[in-house]
């Protein structure tokens, strides 16, 4: 994936793209992937880095949604279970089958969750990841050594998917790019171009790295900007009512010994009615999430003190050793792009996570809602509007069967797994130069060769791109990421032919972001 080559593609003003996608998170990438699978020409524009927003800040689960089953949203669960199963087949290097245990403290809960999860298994059909079952108190303690034992009756085990969200987003971008799509980060849409009939015919775009402006022509423009969808809708029709209600979810990252085993913990009902997960991920434990209404969408949202306290307090009720603020290696916050509730309603957890595709008078196509698991189906449903917008025929979608970049039958061991088939080349790069075979940080297995690979092949242009989304150090251990920043910046500067000023500017910018991931003890 080469940014300079893709910039050349958008500088051709005579070219008319079939679809121009605004937004490089899960939904925008899903649209690009589906469109390219049908042979359409596609350009995707992301104003920051791929998955910089919500799409790199999830609970790291590819799941059908046990909670939505309890709410009776059968259609969404069926769709998500089908997509979950297929994603694990198409991207085995970025996903895995994760067993979960629900600790049972009342016999009523045993019946309720055993029956509910049998239905969940049945709904997954041939794409089921494993059978749910009740396990004894002794086995629950053996598998979750740190679980609170007082009143414990046993546990219910079920299976869901787990993934690396930012790496999957990047791999989808690479898959689309490999197939001929023009994928760009740090390219912001400044205006929509309309003809004399008020219909959208293109976009005005700015390269955020060098300030160059470009004009693109497109038959169909898709607004897939998640929590920022209202900004593009305002660009289209100033004064239009807000559609998105941002809801914040936070996650705390701590050492694995707070859980003890390889199974994930799922608490189906916290005191605010949400689900709490404690999930093993990249050698750490990710615990979350919350549900806090926020009025303003931010690119870098911050966890509120009350959210941090809530997660710590709730987790303490289920773990034998109560985690404290000083145990938290990193905290990250993400915003869910929920449909704005009707007047008087504030319960976002009751809003369906089903996606919607809306076509405005100007023929702007807006994709809202949805969840990571159904990203591909969201893309397919959006591209289905192409004939109505362009008047041209559309061939059937092929994205359901598309293997994701890096796909391999033999997934590499350890931290190399996320690279899939690319891992061999990166290891070769490390062997070619002693500097590249050094680890980035003593507590992490990642090598300096991965930094160089990220710049050369994964369109990483800033220190944050590398330490937050190519290598997930920022959200695994924020202090370790801060300590590694200078080393990373120097190697990047050498490869990108940048000077000392660039290094210093990058370090200041990264410190400003990274400090938001640190908890004040």
């Amino acid at each position: 994936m080469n940014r300079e080559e893709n910039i050349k593609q958008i500088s051709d003003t005579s070219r008319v793209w079939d679809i121009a996608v605004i937004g490089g998170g899960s939904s925008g990438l899903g649209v690009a992937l589906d469109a390219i699978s049908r042979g359409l020409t596609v350009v995707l524009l992301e104003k920051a880095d791929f998955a910089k927003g919500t799409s790199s800040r999830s609970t790291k689960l590819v799941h059908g949604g046990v909670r939505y089953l309890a709410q009776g949203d059968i259609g969404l669960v069926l769709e998500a279970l089908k997509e979950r199963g297929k994603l694990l087949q198409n991207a085995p290097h970025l996903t895995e089958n994760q067993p979960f245990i629900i600790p049972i403290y009342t016999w009523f809960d045993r019946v309720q969750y055993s029956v509910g999860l049998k239905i969940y298994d049945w709904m997954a059909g041939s794409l089921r990841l494993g059978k749910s079952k009740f396990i004894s108190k002794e086995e629950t303690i053996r598998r979750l050594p740190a679980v609170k034992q007082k009143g414990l009756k046993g546990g219910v085990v079920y299976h869901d998917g787990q993934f690396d969200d930012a790496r999957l987003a990047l791999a989808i971008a690479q898959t689309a790019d490999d197939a001929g799509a023009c994928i760009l980060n740090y390219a912001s849409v400044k205006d929509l171009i309309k003809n004399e009939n008020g219909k959208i015919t293109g976009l005005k775009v700015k390269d955020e790295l060098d300030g160059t402006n470009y004009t693109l022509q497109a038959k169909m423009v898709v607004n897939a900007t998640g929590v920022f969808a209202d900004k593009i809708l305002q660009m289209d029709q100033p004064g239009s009512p807000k559609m998105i209600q941002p809801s914040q979810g936070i996650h705390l990252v701590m050492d694995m010994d707070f859980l003890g085993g390889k199974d994930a913990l799922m608490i189906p009902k916290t005191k605010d009615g949400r689900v709490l997960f404690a999930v093993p991920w990249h050698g750490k434990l990710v615990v979350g999430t919350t549900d806090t209404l926020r009025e303003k969408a931010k690119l870098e949202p911050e966890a509120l003190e009350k959210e941090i306290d809530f997660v710590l307090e709730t987790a303490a009720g289920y773990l034998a050793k109560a985690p404290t603020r000083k145990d938290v290696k990193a905290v990250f916050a993400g915003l869910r792009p929920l449909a704005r509730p009707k007047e008087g309603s504030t319960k976002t957890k009751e809003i369906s996570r089903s996606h919607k595709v809306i076509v405005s008078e100007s023929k702007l196509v807006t994709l809202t809602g949805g969840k990571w698991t159904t990203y591909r189906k969201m893309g397919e449903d959006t591209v289905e509007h192409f004939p109505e917008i362009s008047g041209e025929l559309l061939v059937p979608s092929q994205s359901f069967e598309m293997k994701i970049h890096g796909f391999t039958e033999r997934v590499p061991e350890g931290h190399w797994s996320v690279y899939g088939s690319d891992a061999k080349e990166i290891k070769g790069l490390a062997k070619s130069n002693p500097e590249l075979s050094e680890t980035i940080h003593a507590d992490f297995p990642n090598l300096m060769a991965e930094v160089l690979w990220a710049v050369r092949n994964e369109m990483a242009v800033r220190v944050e791109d590398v330490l937050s989304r190519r290598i997930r150090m920022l959200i695994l251990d924020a202090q370790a990421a801060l300590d590694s920043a200078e080393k990373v910046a120097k190697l990047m500067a050498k490869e990108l032919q940048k000077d000392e000023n660039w290094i210093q500017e990058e370090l200041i910018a990264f410190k400003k972001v990274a400090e938001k991931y640190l908890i004040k003890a």
Side-chain angles (χ1 to χ4, degrees):
M1 213 163 49
N2 187 300
R3 194 171 184 277
E4 283 175 26
E5 283 175 20
N6 288 2
I7 285 283
K8 278 180 199 160
Q9 289 190 60
I10 66 164
S11 59
D12 178 2
T13 52
S14 65
R15 185 168 187 177
V16 182
W17 300 87
D18 289 326
I19 296 182
V21 184
I22 312 170
S26 59
S27 51
L29 290 162
V31 174
L33 185 77
D34 191 76
I36 205 78
S37 85
R38 301 173 192 250
L40 298 174
T41 58
V42 190
V43 58
L44 177 142
L45 307 151
E46 164 56 49
K47 70 175 179 180
D49 186 30
F50 308 115
K52 156 79 176 167
T54 308
S55 297
S56 61
R57 302 159 187 271
S58 73
T59 312
K60 321 304 178 198
L61 300 179
V62 188
H63 60 134
V66 174
R67 175 159 65 95
Y68 310 120
L69 183 62
Q71 291 171 7
D73 202 339
I74 304 298
L76 176 63
V77 178
L78 278 169
E79 179 178 274
L81 286 170
K82 181 183 176 186
E83 293 295 323
R84 177 195 74 175
K86 200 63 188 174
L87 182 54
L88 264 74
Q89 290 178 5
N90 287 340
H93 54 307
L94 291 159
T95 59
E96 60 184 75
N97 183 335
Q98 174 67 59
F100 283 77
I101 298 176
I102 302 175
I104 299 296
Y105 293 94
T106 71
W107 294 116
F108 174 74
D109 282 349
R110 173 180 175 172
V111 174
Q112 183 186 8
Y113 297 120
S114 293
V115 172
L117 288 162
K118 284 292 174 205
I119 295 168
Y120 193 64
D121 291 348
W122 171 76
M123 287 170 76
S126 63
L127 291 170
R128 186 176 69 189
L129 301 182
K131 282 185 179 179
S132 61
K133 62 178 181 179
F134 180 78
I135 57 172
S136 66
K137 176 181 176 177
E138 292 70 29
E139 191 179 343
T140 304
I141 293 166
R142 183 177 62 76
R143 291 176 68 167
L144 288 178
V147 76
K148 191 179 78 171
Q149 296 180 24
K150 191 181 176 187
L152 185 70
K153 304 268 190 287
V156 176
V157 180
Y158 75 99
H159 293 255
D160 244 327
Q162 189 219 55
F163 77 136
D164 187 320
D165 48 8
R167 290 293 320 182
L168 178 63
L170 179 71
I172 296 164
Q174 290 172 299
T175 309
D177 188 273
D178 293 343
C182 177
I183 308 284
L184 279 167
N185 58 1
Y186 296 101
S188 59
V189 171
K190 294 298 178 188
D191 209 354
L192 305 171
I193 299 166
K194 297 181 181 180
N195 64 16
E196 61 279 5
N197 302 319
K199 300 292 181 270
I200 293 176
T201 59
L203 300 168
K204 288 186 179 174
V205 179
K206 181 184 177 185
D207 182 345
E208 290 293 335
L209 299 183
D210 68 7
T212 310
N213 292 300
Y214 300 92
T215 301
L216 309 185
Q217 296 182 74
K219 296 170 191 172
M220 171 169 148
V221 172
V222 177
N223 171 16
T225 53
V227 288
F228 300 102
D230 283 328
K231 287 196 173 182
I232 305 297
L233 288 166
Q234 288 293 329
M235 211 182 267
D236 177 38
Q237 198 179 354
S240 55
K242 284 189 173 181
M243 282 178 54
I244 302 296
Q245 172 63 68
S247 166
Q248 181 161 294
I250 75 146
H251 296 82
L252 306 182
V253 180
M254 52 193 80
D255 285 331
M256 269 299 295
D257 58 8
F258 284 95
L259 198 58
K262 290 182 180 175
D263 297 290
L265 173 72
M266 191 264 221
I267 309 303
K269 206 155 190 182
T270 62
K271 69 180 183 190
D272 80 335
R274 281 199 66 78
V275 172
L276 189 93
F277 292 101
V279 184
W281 189 73
H282 289 329
K284 300 284 185 204
L285 186 67
V286 176
V287 184
T289 179
T290 53
D291 185 23
T292 311
L293 290 182
R294 304 307 303 263
E295 267 317 299
K296 209 170 172 202
K298 284 183 175 179
L299 196 56
E300 195 60 66
E302 288 181 69
L304 304 175
E305 290 298 318
K306 65 176 185 181
E307 292 180 295
I308 294 167
D309 292 340
F310 171 78
V311 173
L312 285 171
E313 188 186 312
T314 308
Y318 294 92
L319 304 175
K321 180 181 159 192
T324 65
R325 295 173 79 88
K326 70 174 189 298
D327 297 313
V328 178
K329 298 283 186 183
V331 54
F332 61 94
L335 298 173
R336 303 175 193 90
L338 301 180
R340 190 166 274 271
K342 293 181 177 69
E343 287 301 314
S345 171
T346 56
K347 291 189 176 177
T348 61
K349 61 180 175 284
E350 291 171 8
I351 296 171
S352 170
R353 295 295 295 277
S354 297
H355 59 276
K356 293 183 184 71
V357 183
I358 299 144
V359 181
S360 68
E361 279 182 39
S362 66
K363 300 294 185 190
L364 174 68
V365 179
T366 299
L367 170 59
T368 66
K371 54 206 277 275
W372 236 124
T373 309
T374 55
Y375 87 93
R376 189 213 60 82
K377 184 70 169 77
M378 289 157 61
E380 182 184 316
D381 290 351
T382 305
V383 178
E384 288 291 336
H385 289 266
F386 182 71
E388 154 198 352
I389 306 294
S390 67
E392 296 179 16
L393 292 172
L394 186 64
V395 302
S397 168
Q398 303 296 317
S399 59
F400 192 65
E401 299 298 337
M402 279 179 87
K403 303 297 184 197
I404 300 300
H405 180 96
F407 173 87
T408 174
E409 298 283 353
R410 298 180 66 184
V411 177
E413 295 284 317
H415 87 281
W416 294 109
S417 63
V418 296
Y419 296 105
S421 58
D422 286 341
K424 194 177 175 185
E425 280 190 67
I426 307 169
K427 288 176 185 177
L429 199 58
K431 282 177 186 166
S432 70
N433 181 332
E435 184 194 358
L436 299 179
S437 64
E438 288 176 22
T439 54
I440 299 169
H441 188 279
D443 295 343
F444 284 81
N446 307 84
L447 305 182
M448 291 302 287
E450 295 171 61
V451 177
L452 195 60
W453 181 265
V455 174
R456 287 182 182 173
N457 300 284
E458 298 178 344
M459 226 179 260
V461 291
R462 306 198 61 187
V463 169
E464 187 200 331
D465 301 343
V466 172
L467 286 172
S468 180
R469 290 172 294 278
R470 306 302 183 278
I471 293 159
R472 308 307 307 274
M473 201 183 291
L474 179 60
I475 66 168
L476 290 167
D477 187 333
Q479 188 57 53
L482 271 166
D483 295 344
S484 307
E486 189 172 357
K487 194 175 182 181
V488 168
K490 283 179 175 172
L491 181 61
M492 290 181 75
K494 198 168 158 187
E495 179 65 19
L496 293 166
Q497 298 180 325
K498 302 290 186 183
D499 59 13
E500 186 61 35
N501 284 344
W502 181 88
I503 293 173
Q504 292 312 315
E505 283 168 13
E506 276 298 300
L507 292 177
I508 291 164
F510 183 69
K511 186 169 187 271
K512 195 175 172 184
V513 168
E515 283 179 341
K516 294 177 181 178
Y517 291 71
L518 288 167
I519 276 192
K520 292 166 188 71

